[in-house]
Amino acid sequence: DAGVIQSPRHEVTEMGQEVTLRCKPISGHDYLFWYRQTMMRGLELLIYFNNNVPIDDSGMPEDRFSAKMPNASFSTLKIQPSEPRDSAVYFCASSLRLLKKAQHFGDGTRLSIL
Amino acid sequence: KNQVEQSPQSLIILEGKNCTLQCNYTVSPFSNLRWYKQDTGRGPVSLTIMTFSENTKSNGRYTATLDADTKQSSLHITASQLSDSASYICVVNGGTYKYIFGTGTRLKVLA
């Protein structure tokens, strides 16, 4: 079974550029989560979707961050404009039935903003 | 304030030895507690999920315990292997989407 697929695995770009991270959840999963992981703060939930609808985006740090889920098999996290403090590993995860099932994580996108 | 604290921050053990990782939480309300293993450069992988009524859950050589009264959990690794070298993250779910993550214990198993 294919797991959660994220692309790109690594992204290096200059400050001010637009960055788009992509995620393909596990087929049939109806919840999708975007997380950010840093050494200082660990894993932080940014936003999550249920059946393609954003449920809570209170973890999104600023208006520069936006996320979409146009269909059940694809989601994007966009940062525009990017800043050096956005450098982190961004994970996408998907699950069935929010509280009872494990979240399945992708291998992340390591983002470096110069 | 909802918090999950893990100890120790890092741990080095010899292959074949046992070890125990600790997780204390102040999350309320409480729904479930999860342990994840995260290999370097990979996403976290679920090891166990325990609800309020469960006090022990095993997954191979990994055994998690939960004391909901004292709000403590532990992850015991038996007969450690080199492949156990990873970060172990404790996550407490406070209902709906509220996942509170600990900052993890970094385990290194030496041959």
Side-chain angles (χ1 to χ4, degrees), chain A:
Chain A
D1 279 347
V4 175
I5 300 172
Q6 293 187 244
S7 63
R9 287 298 313 276
H10 303 275
E11 176 86 15
V12 180
T13 191
E14 292 186 345
M15 184 175 74
Q17 297 298 307
E18 178 179 290
V19 174
T20 299
L21 311 182
R22 297 172 175 80
C23 175
K24 177 179 170 57
I26 293 173
S27 177
H29 282 192
D30 49 2
Y31 286 88
L32 183 139
F33 306 81
W34 282 101
Y35 291 91
R36 179 171 67 178
Q37 186 177 41
T38 61
M39 288 292 292
M40 291 297 294
R41 301 172 68 95
L43 273 161
E44 300 173 286
L45 178 64
L46 300 177
I47 184 172
Y48 84 102
F49 295 82
N50 177 215
N51 291 324
N52 312 339
V53 177
I55 303 302
D56 192 295
D57 64 355
S58 60
M60 297 284 261
E62 299 173 35
D63 290 345
R64 298 183 296 105
F65 286 69
S66 63
K68 294 182 180 180
M69 192 166 186
N71 57 62
S73 59
F74 183 67
S75 177
T76 60
L77 178 67
K78 187 174 293 187
I79 308 172
Q80 167 63 20
S82 58
E83 297 183 4
R85 59 195 167 116
D86 301 331
S87 298
V89 182
Y90 290 81
F91 287 101
C92 175
S94 69
S95 76
L96 286 169
R97 291 187 63 200
L98 184 64
L99 297 182
K100 300 293 187 183
K101 297 296 185 182
Q103 293 184 350
H104 296 261
F105 284 77
D107 283 335
T109 294
R110 183 172 296 276
L111 177 62
S112 297
I113 309 296
L114 306 177

Side-chain angles (χ1 to χ4, degrees), chain B:
Chain B
K1 181 180 178 183
N2 289 328
Q3 280 188 315
V4 175
E5 296 185 350
Q6 293 186 242
S7 62
Q9 280 191 322
S10 61
L11 182 63
I12 300 174
I13 61 173
L14 292 176
E15 187 179 16
K17 298 296 186 182
N18 303 337
C19 68
T20 300
L21 314 181
Q22 299 291 343
C23 174
N24 297 338
Y25 62 94
T26 58
V27 179
S28 182
F30 174 86
S31 176
N32 58 72
L33 184 145
R34 303 156 185 242
W35 282 94
Y36 283 88
K37 177 187 179 188
Q38 184 175 21
D39 292 316
T40 301
R42 305 297 299 275
V45 174
S46 179
L47 294 175
T48 61
I49 301 175
M50 289 183 291
T51 60
F52 184 88
S53 59
E54 297 173 300
N55 52 27
T56 301
K57 185 76 70 84
S58 291
N59 179 356
R61 295 179 296 102
Y62 301 101
T63 299
T65 64
L66 173 65
D67 186 332
D69 291 331
T70 62
K71 298 188 177 181
Q72 295 180 324
S73 177
S74 64
L75 180 69
H76 186 76
I77 304 175
T78 303
S80 61
Q81 300 176 358
L82 297 179
S83 59
D84 293 330
S85 295
S87 289
Y88 292 84
I89 303 171
C90 175
V91 186
V92 179
N93 181 250
T96 63
Y97 66 92
K98 285 195 178 297
Y99 292 93
I100 312 298
F101 288 79
T103 53
T105 293
R106 189 179 299 271
L107 174 66
K108 179 73 172 175
V109 180
L110 300 179

